[in-house]
Amino acid sequence: MTRWWSRLRPDNFTLALLATVVLASVLPLTGAAAKGFDRFTDIAIAALFFLHGARLPRESIIAGLLHWRLHITILVCTFVLFPLLGLAMKPVAGWALTPELYIGVLFLCALPSTVQSSIAFTSIAGGNVPAAVCAASLSSILGVFLTPLLMTVLAGSQGAMANPLHAVGAIMLQLLVPFVLGHLLRPWIGRWIERRRPLLRYTDQGTVLLVVYAAFGESVNEGLWRNTPPLSLLAAALVAVVLLAIAMPGIGWLARRLGFNRADRITIVFCGSKKSLATGVPIAKVLFAGGSLGAIVLPIMIYHQIQLIVCSVVAQRYAKQNAETAQQ
């Protein structure tokens, strides 16, 4: 029971997310304070992606790109399979989800893969770590372009989305340009950042908390909790569970059918089934600047915690199987 509770218990970051939502619900910023805080979060987001770019080794990019079949498979799972699953959830939206939450489900399905946790779980499970580094990073970079375009196809004019071309330009300016600049400066600052790995993790998590606070504060001022029934929140959680329950086994089956070895299959399962909260929240901030941002990011916040719990269990199972095989 203790072991199972340790797996199911929310991690510190999830608890911090919940506390941030509560704080934004009780003390939302308004007026000039909200505008000033919004500008501060823009700077924090740019700094976050600058550090990500400085940390990514160029050798990993070159080595990983050579494994093109694996990368195409992961990108198809991320940007084709998930959007199709999101569209399949539309009947649920008619009676259980509010329109904003369903836009959030579609947005979740259009997001790129995570970087840090995909690599971490792949390493624990004994997968192809260099390929995971490249695949997750490539997914994150392509998400800058593909997520806004996919949302245009999936949601159309719903959710008060920005013009997709303007959104891509704004997202590139805020995310991709700092990322490229950080990568170009890696020869001079890379070692300093490698010696301070916790800095990137805390910057990552802190930036997400800042954006979540700003997003929920704005949505609370617009009546988020008054307009979102408890049944809809429960339905959003159920949809997140169903998405992951379909995606992980389906992606594993696809990887086996395509003839990948065990290490590559592990990489495909973890990189192809995970969705990035750290990338998703900044993209949502630009893409839905005029919409109910708090409700739209709720599904990815729920999915984030579920994927961490499930992937932790699956990674440990893979590791146990690897140990048993080694003993035999």
Side-chain angles (χ1 to χ4, degrees), residues 59-69 71 130-131 134-135 138:
E59 296 79 11
S60 297
I61 299 176
I62 296 172
L65 285 175
L66 297 177
H67 206 342
W68 60 270
R69 287 183 66 243
H71 298 309
C134 184
L138 180 63

Side-chain angles (χ1 to χ4, degrees), residues 16 53-54 65 67 81 96 104 131 137 151 162 179 206-207 233 242 246 250-251 265 312:
L65 285 175
H67 206 342
L81 173 62
S137 302
M151 285 305 298
F179 182 92
T207 302
L233 294 176
V242 172
I246 295 174
I251 291 171
R265 291 200 305 269
S312 176

Side-chain angles (χ1 to χ4, degrees), residues 103 106-107 110 146-156 161 287-288:
I103 294 297
L106 293 177
F107 180 64
L146 294 180
T147 297
L149 299 178
L150 278 172
M151 285 305 298
T152 302
V153 175
L154 295 174
M161 284 183 12
L287 195 57
F288 302 101

Side-chain angles (χ1 to χ4, degrees), residues 46-47 49-51 53 172-183:
F49 280 84
F50 176 85
L51 292 174
M172 286 180 61
L173 183 63
Q174 191 170 8
L175 276 62
L176 189 60
V177 170
F179 182 92
V180 172
L181 181 60
H183 189 66

